[in-house]
Amino acid sequence: MGTVFSITVRDPGPGTAAVLERITERLHRIDAVFSTYRPDSDISRLDRGELALDDCDPDVPAVLAACREVAAQTDGWFTERPGGRLDPSGWVKGWAVEEAAALLRSSGARQYCVSGGGDVQTGGGPWRIGIADPRQPDLLAAVLTGRDLAVATSGTAERGAHILDPHTGRPATGLASLTLVGSPGTGIARTDAWTTAAFAMGPDRALAWAARRPGIEALAVLPDGTKRWTPGLPGHLPASGPADWQPAVR
């Protein structure tokens, strides 16, 4: 998927090593089916017309259906065809993290953290999640804390202006990064897809959209370093957080 996954398990048991092997196999399978970097993946062959949808891995139609659902939820700000090419990565990466977390839970783990390319799903807690400063990636823009977190960040720090405005086809440049924090029931797949869509919206529309979405909070970092956030976001900050984090939101 062009990124790195890491897993932390605080309460390992006899089956943990085996489930980590299963997770590795599952992630490699998802990559083999959905990677846009691999010309032999199902998604690349489907895009080129070399493979019919009915002949794809069964996960492919399910993923494309999820993409269409997110597109409807975000008024068209999400698409599985950014720039005209079939690329459901905006759903798949978070979904892969969610799949790994589900396998951990099935093994009996209750205290874990799965991280993949800016998406984090935790179980139990509390956990502290650092949000990279998009202007100075060796520093943190914020630290979030909580239990059973779904945290997704989209930004320009690692890959530049790679998120496209689906309405214009041009890179979205109104934000340096956007982080969404989902409620335990939301899951990281949907939180990640919503983050991609909201980033494309730009700061004003993104924060207004997030504020209307139950169980979602947002932290936006603008290109000049200014931070903006939704009213409930400070509730995810450590008690000893910076004094400038106030509930009043612009």
Coordinates of all heavy atoms in Angstrom, one line a residue, residues 1-60:
M1 N 0.8 -1.2 0.0 CA 0.0 0.0 0.0 C 0.9 1.3 0.0 O 0.3 2.4 0.1 CB -0.9 0.0 1.2 CG -1.9 -1.2 1.3 SD -2.9 -1.2 2.8 CE -3.2 -2.9 2.9
G2 N 2.2 1.1 -0.1 CA 3.0 2.3 -0.1 C 3.2 2.9 1.3 O 3.5 4.1 1.3
T3 N 3.0 2.1 2.3 CA 3.0 2.7 3.6 C 3.5 1.6 4.6 O 3.8 0.5 4.3 CB 1.7 3.3 4.1 OG1 1.9 4.1 5.3 CG2 0.6 2.3 4.3
V4 N 3.6 2.0 5.9 CA 4.1 1.1 7.0 C 3.0 0.9 8.0 O 2.2 1.8 8.3 CB 5.3 1.7 7.7 CG1 5.7 0.9 8.8 CG2 6.4 1.9 6.7
F5 N 2.8 -0.4 8.4 CA 1.9 -0.7 9.5 C 2.7 -1.1 10.7 O 3.8 -1.7 10.6 CB 1.0 -1.9 9.1 CG -0.1 -1.5 8.2 CD1 0.1 -1.1 6.9 CD2 -1.4 -1.6 8.7 CE1 -1.0 -0.7 6.1 CE2 -2.5 -1.3 7.9 CZ -2.3 -0.9 6.6
S6 N 2.2 -0.7 11.9 CA 2.8 -1.2 13.2 C 1.7 -1.6 14.1 O 0.6 -1.0 14.1 CB 3.7 -0.1 13.8 OG 2.9 1.1 14.1
I7 N 2.0 -2.5 15.0 CA 1.0 -3.1 15.9 C 1.6 -3.2 17.3 O 2.8 -3.7 17.5 CB 0.5 -4.5 15.5 CG1 -0.2 -4.4 14.1 CG2 -0.4 -5.1 16.5 CD1 -0.5 -5.7 13.5
T8 N 0.9 -2.7 18.3 CA 1.3 -2.8 19.7 C 0.2 -3.5 20.5 O -0.9 -3.2 20.3 CB 1.5 -1.4 20.4 OG1 2.5 -0.7 19.6 CG2 2.0 -1.5 21.8
V9 N 0.6 -4.6 21.2 CA -0.3 -5.3 22.0 C 0.1 -5.3 23.5 O 1.2 -5.8 23.8 CB -0.5 -6.8 21.5 CG1 -1.5 -7.5 22.4 CG2 -0.8 -6.8 20.1
R10 N -0.7 -4.7 24.3 CA -0.3 -4.6 25.7 C -0.6 -5.8 26.5 O 0.0 -6.0 27.6 CB -1.0 -3.4 26.4 CG -0.5 -2.0 26.0 CD -1.4 -0.9 26.6 NE -0.9 0.4 26.4 CZ -1.5 1.5 26.6 NH1 -2.8 1.4 27.2 NH2 -1.0 2.7 26.4
D11 N -1.5 -6.6 26.1 CA -1.9 -7.8 26.8 C -1.8 -9.1 26.0 O -2.7 -9.8 25.7 CB -3.4 -7.7 27.3 CG -4.4 -7.4 26.1 OD1 -3.9 -7.1 25.0 OD2 -5.6 -7.6 26.4
P12 N -0.5 -9.3 25.5 CA -0.3 -10.5 24.6 C -0.7 -11.8 25.4 O -0.5 -11.9 26.6 CB 1.1 -10.5 24.3 CG 1.8 -9.7 25.4 CD 0.7 -8.7 25.8
G13 N -1.2 -12.7 24.6 CA -1.6 -14.0 25.2 C -0.9 -15.1 24.3 O -0.2 -14.9 23.4
P14 N -1.3 -16.4 24.6 CA -0.7 -17.5 23.9 C -0.9 -17.5 22.4 O -0.1 -18.0 21.6 CB -1.4 -18.8 24.5 CG -1.8 -18.3 25.9 CD -2.2 -16.8 25.7
G15 N -2.0 -16.9 22.0 CA -2.3 -16.8 20.6 C -1.9 -15.6 19.8 O -2.1 -15.5 18.6
T16 N -1.2 -14.7 20.5 CA -0.8 -13.4 19.9 C 0.1 -13.6 18.7 O -0.1 -13.0 17.6 CB -0.2 -12.5 20.9 OG1 -1.2 -12.2 22.0 CG2 0.1 -11.1 20.3
A17 N 1.1 -14.4 18.9 CA 2.1 -14.6 17.8 C 1.4 -15.1 16.5 O 1.7 -14.7 15.4 CB 3.2 -15.5 18.2
A18 N 0.5 -16.1 16.7 CA -0.2 -16.7 15.6 C -1.1 -15.6 14.9 O -1.2 -15.6 13.6 CB -1.0 -17.9 16.0
V19 N -1.8 -14.8 15.7 CA -2.7 -13.9 15.1 C -1.9 -12.8 14.3 O -2.4 -12.2 13.3 CB -3.7 -13.3 16.1 CG1 -3.0 -12.1 16.9 CG2 -4.9 -12.7 15.4
L20 N -0.7 -12.4 14.8 CA 0.1 -11.5 14.1 C 0.5 -12.0 12.7 O 0.6 -11.3 11.7 CB 1.3 -11.1 14.9 CG 1.1 -10.3 16.2 CD1 2.3 -10.0 17.0 CD2 0.4 -8.9 15.8
E21 N 0.8 -13.3 12.6 CA 1.0 -13.9 11.3 C -0.2 -13.8 10.4 O -0.1 -13.6 9.2 CB 1.5 -15.4 11.5 CG 2.8 -15.6 12.2 CD 4.0 -15.1 11.3 OE1 3.8 -15.1 10.1 OE2 5.0 -14.7 11.8
R22 N -1.4 -14.1 11.0 CA -2.6 -14.0 10.2 C -2.8 -12.6 9.7 O -3.3 -12.4 8.6 CB -3.8 -14.5 11.0 CG -3.8 -16.0 11.3 CD -4.9 -16.3 12.3 NE -6.2 -15.9 11.8 CZ -7.3 -15.7 12.6 NH1 -7.2 -15.8 13.9 NH2 -8.4 -15.3 12.1
I23 N -2.5 -11.6 10.6 CA -2.7 -10.2 10.2 C -1.7 -9.9 9.0 O -2.1 -9.2 8.1 CB -2.4 -9.3 11.4 CG1 -3.6 -9.4 12.4 CG2 -2.2 -7.8 10.9 CD1 -3.3 -8.7 13.7
T24 N -0.5 -10.3 9.1 CA 0.5 -10.1 8.1 C 0.0 -10.7 6.8 O 0.0 -10.0 5.7 CB 1.9 -10.7 8.4 OG1 2.3 -10.1 9.7 CG2 2.9 -10.4 7.3
E25 N -0.5 -11.9 6.8 CA -1.1 -12.5 5.6 C -2.2 -11.7 5.0 O -2.4 -11.5 3.8 CB -1.5 -14.0 5.9 CG -0.3 -14.9 6.2 CD -0.8 -16.2 6.7 OE1 -2.0 -16.5 6.7 OE2 0.1 -17.1 7.1
R26 N -3.1 -11.3 5.9 CA -4.3 -10.5 5.5 C -3.9 -9.2 4.8 O -4.4 -8.8 3.8 CB -5.2 -10.3 6.7 CG -6.5 -9.5 6.4 CD -7.4 -10.2 5.4 NE -8.7 -9.5 5.2 CZ -9.3 -9.5 4.1 NH1 -8.8 -10.1 3.0 NH2 -10.5 -8.8 4.0
L27 N -2.9 -8.5 5.4 CA -2.5 -7.2 4.9 C -1.8 -7.4 3.5 O -2.1 -6.7 2.6 CB -1.5 -6.5 5.8 CG -2.1 -6.0 7.1 CD1 -1.0 -5.4 8.0 CD2 -3.2 -5.0 6.9
H28 N -1.0 -8.5 3.4 CA -0.4 -8.8 2.1 C -1.5 -9.1 1.0 O -1.4 -8.8 -0.2 CB 0.6 -9.9 2.2 CG 1.9 -9.5 2.7 ND1 2.7 -8.6 2.1 CD2 2.6 -9.8 3.9 CE1 3.8 -8.4 2.8 NE2 3.8 -9.1 3.9
R29 N -2.6 -9.8 1.4 CA -3.6 -10.2 0.5 C -4.4 -8.9 0.1 O -4.7 -8.7 -1.1 CB -4.6 -11.1 1.2 CG -5.8 -11.5 0.3 CD -5.4 -12.1 -1.0 NE -6.5 -12.4 -1.9 CZ -6.4 -12.6 -3.2 NH1 -5.2 -12.7 -3.8 NH2 -7.5 -12.8 -4.0
I30 N -4.7 -8.0 1.0 CA -5.3 -6.7 0.7 C -4.5 -5.9 -0.3 O -5.0 -5.4 -1.3 CB -5.6 -5.9 2.0 CG1 -6.7 -6.6 2.8 CG2 -6.1 -4.5 1.6 CD1 -7.0 -6.0 4.1
D31 N -3.2 -5.9 0.0 CA -2.3 -5.2 -0.9 C -2.3 -5.8 -2.3 O -2.3 -5.1 -3.3 CB -0.9 -5.3 -0.3 CG 0.1 -4.5 -1.2 OD1 0.0 -3.2 -1.2 OD2 1.1 -5.1 -1.8
A32 N -2.3 -7.2 -2.4 CA -2.3 -7.8 -3.7 C -3.5 -7.5 -4.5 O -3.5 -7.5 -5.7 CB -2.1 -9.4 -3.5
V33 N -4.6 -7.4 -3.8 CA -5.9 -7.1 -4.5 C -6.1 -5.6 -4.8 O -6.6 -5.3 -5.9 CB -7.1 -7.6 -3.6 CG1 -8.4 -7.2 -4.2 CG2 -7.0 -9.1 -3.5
F34 N -5.7 -4.7 -3.9 CA -6.1 -3.3 -4.1 C -5.0 -2.4 -4.4 O -5.3 -1.2 -4.7 CB -6.8 -2.9 -2.8 CG -8.1 -3.5 -2.6 CD1 -8.3 -4.6 -1.7 CD2 -9.3 -3.0 -3.2 CE1 -9.6 -5.1 -1.5 CE2 -10.5 -3.6 -3.1 CZ -10.7 -4.6 -2.2
S35 N -3.7 -2.8 -4.4 CA -2.6 -1.8 -4.6 C -2.7 -1.2 -6.0 O -2.7 -1.9 -7.0 CB -1.3 -2.5 -4.4 OG -0.2 -1.6 -4.7
T36 N -2.6 0.1 -6.0 CA -2.5 0.8 -7.3 C -1.1 0.9 -7.8 O -0.8 1.3 -8.9 CB -3.1 2.2 -7.2 OG1 -2.3 3.0 -6.2 CG2 -4.6 2.2 -6.8
Y37 N -0.1 0.4 -6.9 CA 1.3 0.4 -7.3 C 1.6 -0.9 -8.1 O 2.7 -1.0 -8.7 CB 2.2 0.5 -6.0 CG 2.0 1.7 -5.2 CD1 1.1 1.8 -4.2 CD2 2.8 2.9 -5.6 CE1 1.0 3.0 -3.4 CE2 2.6 4.0 -4.8 CZ 1.7 4.1 -3.8 OH 1.6 5.2 -3.0
R38 N 0.7 -1.9 -8.0 CA 1.0 -3.2 -8.6 C 0.1 -3.3 -9.8 O -1.1 -3.4 -9.8 CB 0.7 -4.3 -7.6 CG 1.5 -4.2 -6.3 CD 1.1 -5.3 -5.3 NE 1.1 -6.7 -5.9 CZ 1.4 -7.7 -5.1 NH1 1.5 -7.6 -3.8 NH2 1.4 -8.9 -5.7
P39 N 0.8 -3.5 -11.0 CA 0.0 -3.6 -12.2 C -0.8 -4.9 -12.3 O -1.8 -5.0 -13.0 CB 1.0 -3.6 -13.3 CG 2.3 -4.0 -12.7 CD 2.2 -3.5 -11.3
D40 N -0.5 -5.9 -11.5 CA -1.2 -7.2 -11.5 C -2.3 -7.3 -10.4 O -2.9 -8.3 -10.3 CB -0.2 -8.4 -11.3 CG 0.5 -8.3 -10.0 OD1 0.6 -7.2 -9.4 OD2 1.0 -9.3 -9.5
S41 N -2.5 -6.2 -9.7 CA -3.6 -6.3 -8.6 C -4.9 -6.3 -9.3 O -5.1 -5.8 -10.5 CB -3.5 -5.1 -7.7 OG -3.9 -3.9 -8.4
D42 N -5.9 -6.8 -8.6 CA -7.3 -6.8 -9.1 C -7.8 -5.4 -9.5 O -8.4 -5.2 -10.5 CB -8.3 -7.4 -8.1 CG -8.1 -8.9 -8.0 OD1 -7.1 -9.4 -8.3 OD2 -9.1 -9.6 -7.6
I43 N -7.5 -4.4 -8.6 CA -8.0 -3.1 -8.9 C -7.3 -2.5 -10.1 O -8.0 -1.7 -10.8 CB -7.8 -2.2 -7.6 CG1 -9.0 -1.2 -7.5 CG2 -6.5 -1.5 -7.5 CD1 -10.3 -1.8 -7.1
S44 N -6.0 -2.7 -10.3 CA -5.3 -2.2 -11.5 C -5.9 -2.8 -12.8 O -6.1 -2.2 -13.8 CB -3.8 -2.4 -11.4 OG -3.3 -1.7 -10.3
R45 N -6.1 -4.1 -12.7 CA -6.6 -4.9 -13.9 C -8.0 -4.5 -14.2 O -8.4 -4.3 -15.4 CB -6.5 -6.4 -13.7 CG -5.0 -6.9 -13.6 CD -5.0 -8.3 -13.3 NE -5.6 -9.1 -14.3 CZ -6.1 -10.3 -14.2 NH1 -6.1 -10.9 -13.0 NH2 -6.6 -11.0 -15.2
L46 N -8.8 -4.2 -13.1 CA -10.2 -3.8 -13.3 C -10.2 -2.4 -13.9 O -11.0 -2.1 -14.9 CB -10.9 -3.8 -12.0 CG -12.4 -3.3 -11.9 CD1 -13.3 -4.2 -12.7 CD2 -12.9 -3.2 -10.5
D47 N -9.3 -1.5 -13.5 CA -9.3 -0.2 -14.1 C -8.9 -0.2 -15.5 O -9.4 0.6 -16.3 CB -8.3 0.6 -13.3 CG -8.3 2.1 -13.7 OD1 -9.3 2.7 -13.9 OD2 -7.2 2.7 -13.8
R48 N -8.1 -1.1 -15.9 CA -7.6 -1.2 -17.3 C -8.6 -2.0 -18.2 O -8.4 -2.1 -19.4 CB -6.3 -1.9 -17.4 CG -5.1 -1.1 -16.8 CD -3.8 -1.6 -17.3 NE -3.6 -3.0 -16.9 CZ -3.0 -3.4 -15.8 NH1 -2.5 -2.5 -14.9 NH2 -2.9 -4.7 -15.5
G49 N -9.7 -2.6 -17.6 CA -10.7 -3.3 -18.3 C -10.2 -4.7 -18.6 O -10.9 -5.4 -19.5
E50 N -9.2 -5.2 -18.0 CA -8.7 -6.6 -18.2 C -9.4 -7.6 -17.3 O -9.2 -8.8 -17.5 CB -7.2 -6.6 -17.9 CG -6.4 -5.7 -18.8 CD -4.9 -5.6 -18.3 OE1 -4.5 -6.3 -17.4 OE2 -4.2 -4.9 -19.0
L51 N -10.2 -7.1 -16.3 CA -10.9 -8.0 -15.4 C -12.3 -7.5 -15.1 O -12.4 -6.3 -14.9 CB -10.1 -8.1 -14.1 CG -10.4 -9.1 -13.0 CD1 -10.1 -10.5 -13.6 CD2 -9.6 -8.9 -11.8
A52 N -13.3 -8.3 -15.2 CA -14.6 -7.9 -14.9 C -14.8 -7.9 -13.4 O -14.2 -8.6 -12.6 CB -15.6 -8.9 -15.5
L53 N -15.8 -7.0 -12.9 CA -16.0 -6.9 -11.5 C -16.4 -8.2 -10.9 O -16.0 -8.6 -9.8 CB -17.1 -5.9 -11.2 CG -17.4 -5.6 -9.8 CD1 -16.2 -5.0 -9.0 CD2 -18.6 -4.5 -9.7
D54 N -17.2 -9.0 -11.6 CA -17.7 -10.3 -11.1 C -16.5 -11.3 -10.9 O -16.6 -12.3 -10.2 CB -18.7 -10.9 -12.0 CG -20.0 -10.2 -11.9 OD1 -20.2 -9.4 -10.9 OD2 -20.9 -10.3 -12.8
D55 N -15.4 -11.1 -11.6 CA -14.3 -12.0 -11.6 C -13.2 -11.5 -10.6 O -12.2 -12.2 -10.4 CB -13.6 -12.1 -13.0 CG -14.6 -12.7 -14.0 OD1 -15.3 -13.6 -13.6 OD2 -14.5 -12.3 -15.1
C56 N -13.5 -10.4 -9.9 CA -12.5 -9.9 -8.9 C -12.7 -10.6 -7.6 O -13.6 -11.3 -7.4 CB -12.8 -8.4 -8.7 SG -12.3 -7.3 -10.1
D57 N -11.7 -10.4 -6.7 CA -11.8 -10.9 -5.4 C -13.1 -10.4 -4.8 O -13.5 -9.2 -5.0 CB -10.6 -10.3 -4.5 CG -10.6 -10.9 -3.1 OD1 -11.4 -10.4 -2.3 OD2 -9.8 -11.8 -2.8
P58 N -13.8 -11.2 -4.0 CA -15.1 -10.8 -3.4 C -15.1 -9.5 -2.6 O -16.1 -8.8 -2.4 CB -15.5 -11.9 -2.5 CG -14.8 -13.1 -3.1 CD -13.5 -12.6 -3.6
D59 N -13.9 -9.1 -2.1 CA -13.8 -7.9 -1.3 C -13.9 -6.6 -2.2 O -14.3 -5.5 -1.7 CB -12.4 -7.8 -0.6 CG -12.4 -8.6 0.7 OD1 -13.5 -8.8 1.3 OD2 -11.3 -9.1 1.0
V60 N -13.6 -6.8 -3.5 CA -13.6 -5.6 -4.4 C -15.0 -4.9 -4.5 O -15.2 -3.7 -4.3 CB -13.1 -5.9 -5.8 CG1 -13.2 -4.8 -6.8 CG2 -11.6 -6.3 -5.7

